[in-house]
Each structure stands twice: as C-alpha cells, then as structure tokens.
Amino acid sequence: MAKQEDIFKNVVSHAKEYGFIFPSSEVYDGLSAVYDYAQNGVELKKNIREYWWKSMVQMNENIVGLDAAILMHPTTWKASGHVDAFNDPLIDNKDSKKRYRADTLVEDYAEKLNQKAEKEIEKAKARFGDAFNREEFVTTNARVVEYLSKKEEILARLAKGMTDDLQDVKALIEELGIADPETGSKNWTDVKQFNLMFGTKLGASAESAMDLYLRPETAQGIFVNFLNVQKSGRMKVPFGIAQTGKAFRNEIVARQFIFRMREFEQMEMQFFVRPGEEMQWYHHWKETRLKWHLSLGLGKENYRFHDHEKLAHYANAAADIEFNFPFGFKELEGIHSRTDFDLKAHEEYSGRKLQYFDPELNENYVPYVVETSVGLDRMFLAVFATSLQEETLEDGSERTVLKLPAVLAPTKAAVLPLVKKDGLPEISKKIIEDLKWDFNVAYDEKDAVGRRYRRQDALGTPFCITVDHQTLEDETVTIRHRDTMKQDRVKITELRGIIENEVSMKNWLMKM
Ligand code: GAP
C-alpha cells in the first residue's frame, strides 16, 4: 500500500480514537460523507473558526459579521444560478449500477500518469544523487515527457468537454479505457448533469408546502442582506461582511474523510468595492489570506496558488489556495472576484434596488464583490493531518504527537499530580480552578506520568504541568513542552503567563 494512503488511514483512525471525529450515526453504520465532531474535535474546530473570525472581523474596522439563516427564499437560488447550473456530471456503470463523477474518473486517470512520471523521477533521483537536476530530467526524459504531456492533453480535453459537450467526456472515458474502479466493467451510460442542492419543504400540508433548498453556500445570505447591513451599520464602500455556517451539497463522489462532505461549514467573506477597483482588492485578499494560513506555521511548502484559467460566468478572476493534504495538493480556499453578478441578479429577481450611494463620487452603483471562501472542515483536516507526527526518540522509543499550533489546541494544558496522594491531587485541582477561567485545562491522574505525557502528546496538548513533592515545599511545578519535551521548573504563579504567551491569538496573528 502506498505510504500516502497509510498516513491518511492513520489520520482517520487517530481522529476517532482520540475523540476528534466520529462517523455520523455510527450505531446505524454511519451516513456516507457525514461526520460528527467529538469532544476534542469540537474545540479544535471552534478555535479555527475563532482564529478566522478574529482576523477577518475583529481586526478589520470595515468588516462586520452576519449569521443568516440556512433556509432562504427559494428564488435566491434561482437568482444565484444554483437551480440551473450547480451540477456535477455523472455517469453510471450499467453492470455494477454504481454512479461516478465523470470528471473525477478522468482526473484520477490523469493523476495515475502523474504518479508514473513521479516514480521515474524518484528512480532517477536515487540513481544520480546530488547531481540530479529535476527540471532537466522532466523536460528531456522521453517517458516522463510522454506521461506528463498525455496528462495535460487529457485534462484540457476534459475541461473543454465539461463546458461544450458532455458526450465528448463519455467518449474520452471510453477512449482511455477507464473501467469502473470497483468492478472493472467498461459498460457506461451517457454523462448527465445532476443538481447538488438538497431539497426540503416548508409548511404543514402537502398542497401548501413550499419547496426549499438547504443552502449550498453561505455567500447568498450575505448578498441578500447587503443593503440591510450597509444601511444599519452605516458602512462605506469598501467594506466586508463575514459569515461562518453550515452548507449542504449532495456530493456524489464523497470520499476523503472530511475533505468532501455533504454537510460542512464554510467561512466566507464578501468584500464590496467600487466597480473598477476589484482587481486591486482581489490581489490584496489573495495575499492576505495566504498570510493568514502561513501564520499557523504548517509550512510554506504546503501551500500554493492555483489561478483559474477558465472562469465561472460571474467571475473576472479566481484562484484557489491549495494545500498539500495527505492525498496531494487540493483546494482549501477560493478567492473570487465575482463582479456585480450576484447583487444584480438579486435586483432582477426581487425587483428591489441593491445599490450603494457613494458620497464621494455622488453616484449610485451596484458594488463589485471580492469573495474569500474557506471550508472549516478542510482547514481542520489540513491542520490535523499535518500536525500528526510519529517520532523516534533518542532512546529508540516511538511517540505519536499531534503538533497542533498551540493557539488551536483543544486543551492548552493538562495538570498531572505525580501520585494520587500526599495532597498532590488537591494542589493540581487548585491550579485548574485558577487556570480554567482563561484556558481549557484538563486533569489526569491515571497511569504512570510517562504514559500520561504520551496521551496528552497524542491529543495535541501543548503543556503538561506536573505537581510533585517539591511543590509542597516551594510552590513550584514542572512544565513540559509538547514539541521539545523539555521540562522547566517554574513557580505556580508563572504558569498563566507562560501558557498565555504560547497560545494567545494576538501573538499568532501578529505573524501575518
Ligand atoms: N461561495 C463560494 C463557494 O462556495 P466553493 O469553491 O464551492 O465556493 C468554498 O466552496 C470552499 O468550501 C472550498 O474551498 C472548500 O474549502 C469548501 N467546500 C466546498 N465543498 C465542500 C465539501 N463538499 N465538503 C467540505 N468542504 C467543502
């Protein structure tokens, strides 16, 4: 089995074993692509949300928050284009009756070519050692050139087929000999579009019930409230509205754990600007959002921009911030310059004006919008998977440590009495009583102290505070740092300052 797959499996099982994420309704064998956040997961998720909210809302005078309802008037989704165009191209296998996303089948095929090229590159690297020049090898080795150019050709044809002719996507699948990944059958139906929105009903009786949708993005709640917020908050363009909340998509290829879920959470911000100034703001937000990600210290090499060449009909620029997940680089956040498309569409469908009077220009206009949209669950996966590490220690033993950014860790410190007697538990509890006003702290007295350290390492707790017999004499404790395992002897009264320094959002956000 590939190493990547092992790492990913480990992430999923660690998340369950240590109370971060459980499959939804597991007693009934779970519900596909739906997950529950457990006692530690809910804290980590909350901290990521807060870290985003603080940087977007609290730190920006001209950005305010909103919490719009999940259920919205159904015309919203007609205006936004979701009723007509929020589709995935699906293909069924006639023999296995299994359903797949046609574009994913082709992308997976292209990825295999990529992996073949990478294998050749790795082999050559091992052969040539320090003298190896990757760039030269990739452009001159006949096999690698063939794999990579075939990959590009396939992806270009897929992109064209997706917009111009779905029949050509089917033709491509057949030409490439792509088989049902589960059964090997190549007996495919035509490719058809499938709308991803979940429908529901409002009202008691079948006759009077109104068809609604569970929102597939939080953004439309912001658009339809644009003027309410602008007027009641006396906001001046440029200004932003930020929101976090649940979104729902009936994803067909729902796999990769919490990467692609049917119920997930978004953190979105719509920034309203003067027409003509959107590109400058688009670049501003691209850079600002990348800096926010980098401030968490997960490694610069794990992020890259993917600028969209083919744009959605409403956008005049778009980019993804991609992250190096355990299964490769994939979209983590989208930054989109959405023009005035959404506000104009809501004007048209509602018959109400959604315009801003600009006192400096002395004119009315529909603002342009730059959007930043990041999946909270994807952020969780990025942080969690990158932080989960196996280490071999100097004495040859192994430890599993979750090196979460301390600012996001569910529990900031665990207080451990060395033994369960001699008054040590009482002092430990007193320390907790004092610290818990400011931090999430845990108490643990079970097992030998070494095992307790390992348990806290696996939970990502940045500090372990050990109360021992010396504490009785001089009111000092040891404080152990998760990442270095270094232990310092400090006064109990110093604990708050030491912890605060490591976990304060201010200190982390200042790195932006
Ligand atoms: N308002 C713009 C919008 O919704 P999107 O690219 O469809 O754009 C934005 O979604 C972000 O939401 C993505 O970058 C991703 O992080 C997250 N996301 C989208 N679909 C998701 C899913 N099925 N499961 C988890 N996260 C998802």
Side-chain angles (χ1 to χ4, degrees), residues 217 219 249 251 258-261 264 266 268 331-334 336 338 371 373-375 378:
E217 62 171 11
R249 295 182 188 177
E251 299 281 2
I258 55 169
F259 180 81
R260 198 178 299 287
M261 299 158 87
F264 58 101
Q266 290 185 315
E268 298 201 299
E331 176 184 343
L332 172 61
E333 170 154 8
H336 313 120
R338 293 181 73 130
E371 165 185 76
S373 176
V374 55
R378 279 193 197 176

Side-chain angles (χ1 to χ4, degrees), residues 241-512:
I241 304 177
Q243 171 166 231
T244 71
K246 286 278 174 107
F248 303 82
R249 295 182 188 177
N250 198 358
E251 299 281 2
I252 296 310
V253 181
R255 45 174 198 197
Q256 292 164 330
F257 195 34
I258 55 169
F259 180 81
R260 198 178 299 287
M261 299 158 87
R262 297 206 161 103
E263 175 180 342
F264 58 101
E265 194 165 335
Q266 290 185 315
M267 306 190 286
E268 298 201 299
M269 193 274 298
Q270 315 296 131
F271 201 69
F272 300 90
V273 305
R274 274 185 190 159
E277 294 185 0
E278 71 277 10
M279 287 317 285
Q280 143 199 352
W281 285 110
Y282 168 71
H283 291 296
H284 166 84
W285 282 110
K286 250 179 92 172
E287 294 311 317
T288 307
R289 292 301 305 143
L290 181 63
K291 280 190 198 154
W292 181 83
H293 287 285
L294 294 178
S295 73
L296 287 170
L298 301 179
K300 200 166 187 263
E301 68 287 359
N302 284 324
Y303 300 85
R304 70 182 187 200
F305 280 122
H306 168 232
D307 292 310
H308 292 204
E309 275 160 29
K310 203 146 181 48
L311 295 169
H313 57 286
Y314 54 77
N316 62 3
D320 297 334
I321 295 176
E322 293 187 339
F323 185 78
N324 190 10
F325 288 97
F327 34 81
F329 273 95
K330 297 266 185 226
E331 176 184 343
L332 172 61
E333 170 154 8
I335 295 112
H336 313 120
S337 174
R338 293 181 73 130
T339 68
D340 55 1
F341 173 83
D342 302 85
L343 288 180
K344 275 216 169 124
H346 288 304
E347 276 198 325
E348 191 192 319
Y349 278 82
S350 68
R352 306 264 181 92
K353 284 222 170 309
L354 290 174
Q355 301 191 357
Y356 169 72
F357 176 73
D358 191 324
E360 281 171 35
L361 300 180
N362 201 24
E363 65 178 66
N364 280 303
Y365 54 78
V366 176
Y368 271 43
V369 172
V370 175
E371 165 185 76
T372 71
S373 176
V374 55
L376 176 50
D377 313 86
R378 279 193 197 176
M379 263 310 289
F380 187 113
L381 183 57
V383 169
F384 191 85
T386 312
S387 303
L388 186 58
Q389 297 175 20
E390 300 290 337
E391 284 183 350
T392 308
L393 306 179
E394 273 172 20
D395 63 2
S397 64
E398 303 269 329
R399 77 159 178 162
T400 300
V401 53
L402 191 60
K403 290 188 171 174
L404 294 171
V407 64
L408 303 181
T411 304
K412 304 304 186 199
V415 185
L416 322 172
L418 190 63
V419 288
K420 275 192 268 182
K421 55 184 185 182
D422 304 335
L424 304 189
E426 287 73 14
I427 301 179
S428 303
K429 286 187 180 154
K430 243 177 101 192
I431 294 174
I432 288 186
E433 280 306 308
D434 182 40
L435 292 178
K436 77 179 186 190
W437 292 91
D438 299 307
F439 315 109
N440 245 350
V441 277
Y443 176 75
D444 192 1
E445 62 174 22
K446 200 165 170 275
D447 299 325
V449 77
R451 288 187 70 173
R452 282 181 269 168
Y453 286 154
R454 293 297 157 82
R455 193 154 54 226
Q456 294 303 329
D457 286 346
L459 288 167
T461 309
F463 296 107
C464 283
I465 297 160
T466 307
V467 175
D468 55 21
H469 292 96
Q470 193 179 326
T471 313
L472 299 170
E473 289 160 24
D474 61 7
E475 298 196 340
T476 63
V477 290
T478 61
I479 183 160
R480 174 185 179 272
H481 302 255
R482 177 196 65 199
D483 297 350
T484 58
M485 296 189 292
K486 206 171 139 270
Q487 299 191 26
D488 300 316
R489 187 114 214 147
V490 301
K491 285 203 157 21
I492 290 175
T493 49
E494 290 175 296
L495 287 172
R496 169 173 283 100
I498 295 170
I499 300 170
E500 177 63 25
N501 191 41
E502 287 274 321
V503 308
S504 111
M505 281 203 183
K506 180 178 172 192
N507 290 351
W508 284 79
L509 283 172
M510 294 272 277
K511 293 183 206 157
M512 268 182 79

Side-chain angles (χ1 to χ4, degrees), residues 98-163:
K98 297 245 176 237
R99 179 164 274 195
Y100 297 94
R101 257 180 76 166
D103 54 340
T104 309
L105 287 177
V106 177
E107 279 164 8
D108 287 351
Y109 184 95
E111 180 52 30
K112 279 193 192 126
L113 291 171
N114 200 37
Q115 283 169 6
K116 281 185 181 169
E118 282 299 327
K119 234 184 189 165
E120 294 294 329
I121 296 167
E122 285 306 313
K123 269 201 275 176
K125 205 167 142 192
R127 208 171 338 127
F128 295 117
D130 287 347
F132 181 67
N133 180 333
R134 184 184 165 105
E135 211 167 298
E136 194 187 308
F137 185 77
V138 166
T139 47
T140 53
N141 179 276
R143 249 190 240 166
V144 173
V145 169
E146 192 194 323
Y147 288 143
L148 294 181
S149 55
K150 180 107 202 274
K151 178 192 126 188
E152 291 307 323
E153 192 190 307
I154 289 170
L155 290 179
R157 191 162 149 205
L158 172 67
K160 191 162 179 332
M162 291 284 289
T163 43

